[in-house]
Amino acid sequence: FFQRQSWKPLAGRRALVTSGPTHEPIDPVRLIANRSSGKQGHAIARALAELGAEVTLVSGPVTLPPPIGVTTVAVETAREMLAACQRVQMAETAPLDIAVFAAAVADWGVDGSAPQKLKKTPGAPPPAIHLVPNPDILATIAQSATLRPALVVGFAAETEQVIDHARAKLARKGCDWICANDVSPASGTFGGDSNTIHLVHHEGVESWPTLDKTAVARRLADRIATRFSPVTA
Ligand code: CTP
Ligand code: CA
């Protein structure tokens, strides 16, 4: 598979990719999760590796196999995902070159998840679930003072005002690019194998045709490669 392209424009570059959902436990057998197959994030990790990057994929629970040529770290919760990303970020003295946040992170975790399975008590009301905000992984990594990756890319699934919402996220989170994904019913792509991406950055918007997730990943990896001049040994 490394032969997709014998030219490796990202050789010597280090990349972090997040993928999949996070699972937030209610008790040992129940959880709150986001819907995500991990297909897009896993394809991006693989596409960056195909261009020669040294890629670490931090993935929530998915049924996909770990991509070939990529170091994969499996996590469950948003807090574990942040901790794993920070370990990758701090593993070496030089900052990461590239970080792509494709995970569908649960915005809230369960406050004080129960250590034992919650039991039904006849006649008693159902248990209340108290939610607490999860850390924003993208924002935390993008805003790290000394170790900010050179290129930070986020995703945003939106159903309306796609580009305006993406611009707001770009500013709020401090990333360089947002892959805004039109998931309105009219786009016909939600939950499927293709995505309609508008790449939003500080200089403007690049609107891509609807592509399958592997093609989106390759196009994004190629686009990232144009931002880096090759590292010569
Ligand atoms: N993200 C993250 N950590 C979170 C929430 C989101 O890293 N706790 C990342 C996602 O991986 C994605 C980007 O932030 O790259 C945008 O996620 P999204 O859910 O669209 O944005 P939110 O800021 O959570 O806003 P909202 O869900 O209210 O639209
Ligand atoms: Ca969210």
Side-chain angles (χ1 to χ4, degrees):
F1 100 101
F2 274 114
Q3 299 315 312
R4 173 166 86 89
Q5 201 168 316
S6 51
W7 171 232
K8 304 282 187 220
L10 293 177
R13 303 292 180 185
R14 292 169 57 236
L16 166 70
V17 180
T18 70
S19 184
T22 65
H23 282 183
E24 309 296 329
I26 296 169
D27 69 15
V29 299
R30 303 182 179 93
L31 56 88
I32 294 174
N34 272 26
R35 279 189 205 283
S36 169
S37 66
K39 276 181 194 162
Q40 188 63 82
H42 278 53
I44 291 164
R46 184 173 166 143
L48 290 169
E50 284 176 340
L51 296 189
E54 186 191 310
V55 183
T56 304
L57 173 65
V58 177
S59 177
V62 294
T63 55
L64 300 172
I68 297 161
V70 167
T71 302
T72 300
V73 180
V75 298
E76 295 225 339
T77 67
R79 281 170 197 285
E80 289 168 11
M81 187 173 274
L82 173 62
C85 289
Q86 288 177 320
R87 278 196 298 275
V88 175
Q89 191 184 27
M90 293 186 288
E92 288 172 43
T93 46
L96 289 163
D97 299 289
I98 301 150
V100 181
F101 296 89
V105 182
D107 290 319
W108 303 280
V110 177
D111 189 15
S113 76
Q116 304 296 336
K117 183 183 171 188
L118 297 172
K119 301 298 288 181
K120 287 176 291 182
T121 308
I129 295 174
H130 295 285
L131 300 177
V132 286
N134 274 332
D136 190 314
I137 300 162
L138 189 173
T140 305
I141 300 288
Q143 293 165 21
S144 52
T146 52
L147 287 174
R148 186 192 191 279
L151 180 67
V152 178
V153 183
F155 269 75
E158 308 288 355
T159 57
E160 42 145 25
Q161 295 174 265
V162 176
I163 289 163
D164 285 349
H165 282 147
R167 281 215 175 91
K169 273 178 194 166
L170 190 73
R172 186 168 80 236
K173 291 170 184 267
C175 52
D176 300 298
W177 299 353
I178 291 266
C179 297
N181 186 7
D182 184 350
V183 294
S184 63
S187 81
T189 56
F190 188 61
D193 283 332
S194 57
N195 269 331
T196 311
I197 298 287
H198 304 276
L199 183 65
V200 178
H201 45 62
H202 297 286
E203 289 78 44
V205 180
E206 300 168 29
S207 292
W208 298 354
T210 299
L211 299 169
D212 72 51
K213 289 180 178 177
T214 304
V216 166
R218 288 181 170 169
R219 186 159 176 159
L220 180 62
D222 288 344
R223 186 67 185 75
I224 288 171
T226 67
R227 286 290 298 261
F228 293 91
S229 33
V231 175
T232 42

